[in-house]
Amino acid sequence: MVGLTVVGVGILWSGAAYLAVRTLEEPTFVIVEKKKGYEIRKYDSYLIATTKVQGTYQRSLNDGFSAIAGYIFGGNVAKESIAMTAPVQESVSEKIAMTVPVMEEGDSTERYISFTMPKKYTLATLPKPNNPAVELREIPVRTVAVLSFSWWATEGRVESKKQELLAALSRDSVSTRGPVQAAYYNPPFTPPFMQRHEVMVEVVLP
């Protein structure tokens, strides 16, 4: 009986996680081409709320998430709650990525943590953040290479996937521009086998 109860709770938990992710709005894109190990997508422009944080991988994610969650949960001049979207994105600052590509530098590492904003907003209509560390930006139309993966997004695993994507692009002679980003689509309670993560980098196509 206990076993059946545990299984039942597990199924309900998994189902709730699946439905939570399915209902989140995401940036719009079209798949340009599928390659071995990755795909190339063209994204429409979209808005982000972003903050620059410094520290280790997990500390940066926590601090960045906390700052922007505060903004969307009413920490703005309009005291307006903004709907949660997906994904939450992380990238090492471009200056560090260019000198020491996607490598960790302990507590000195600077990262950008970003939330995508709902499509109904423009830069003019998004409420201004109360926290000066939170910045609103528009990401222009761009073409990116994306590698998707599941299970836990640990620091080491994310780094490995970034290197895997760069190796595949090098193999195919695809030029890149800017740092490799990581994108996280699931709330923390999502079972690992249902988690969806991506690493992506802007590419320059002929």
Side-chain angles (χ1 to χ4, degrees):
M1 188 68 172
V2 174
L4 289 175
T5 302
V6 171
V7 171
V9 170
I11 292 173
L12 289 173
W13 184 37
S14 300
Y18 177 75
L19 290 174
V21 174
R22 290 279 293 181
T23 57
L24 293 182
E25 184 181 303
E26 299 180 16
T28 304
F29 67 86
V30 294
I31 298 175
V32 176
E33 189 175 3
K34 290 195 174 186
K35 297 277 196 174
K36 184 179 178 181
Y38 66 95
E39 65 184 25
I40 294 178
R41 301 175 185 169
K42 184 174 182 180
Y43 276 87
D44 292 340
S45 62
Y46 59 94
L47 303 178
I48 62 169
T50 187
T51 188
K52 188 177 183 180
V53 289
Q54 183 170 313
T56 60
Y57 174 75
Q58 195 58 55
R59 178 181 172 184
S60 294
L61 288 179
N62 292 342
D63 290 351
F65 189 96
S66 177
I68 304 179
Y71 165 66
I72 69 171
F73 293 139
N76 52 72
V77 293
K79 298 183 180 178
E80 178 180 343
S81 291
I82 300 170
M84 188 68 185
T85 61
V88 175
Q89 292 185 321
E90 170 267 334
S91 65
V92 177
S93 67
E94 188 168 358
K95 179 179 178 182
I96 294 176
M98 290 173 65
T99 56
V100 190
V102 292
M103 296 292 288
E104 300 302 327
E105 287 293 311
D107 287 343
S108 66
T109 301
E110 293 181 336
R111 293 180 176 82
Y112 289 97
I113 308 299
S114 308
F115 286 20
T116 56
M117 295 289 98
K119 296 183 181 73
K120 70 175 185 178
Y121 291 102
T122 66
L123 280 178
T125 59
L126 268 173
K128 183 179 178 181
N130 291 336
N131 184 349
V134 176
E135 180 183 354
L136 305 178
R137 292 184 192 171
E138 181 175 9
I139 304 300
V141 174
R142 60 180 186 151
T143 302
V144 298
V146 181
L147 183 155
S148 302
F149 61 103
S150 187
W151 289 86
W152 302 118
T154 62
E155 178 181 3
R157 194 145 186 269
V158 171
E159 174 63 23
S160 175
K161 293 299 180 180
K162 288 181 178 181
Q163 297 298 337
E164 183 179 335
L165 175 60
L166 291 175
L169 292 170
S170 177
R171 175 200 68 207
D172 296 337
S173 300
V174 178
S175 299
T176 64
R177 177 165 50 204
V180 184
Q181 296 178 304
Y184 312 100
Y185 288 83
N186 307 96
F189 55 81
T190 307
F193 63 90
M194 297 185 68
Q195 291 184 17
R196 172 189 168 203
H197 317 293
E198 294 174 342
V199 290
M200 61 181 67
V201 65
E202 188 172 0
V203 295
V204 182
L205 299 181

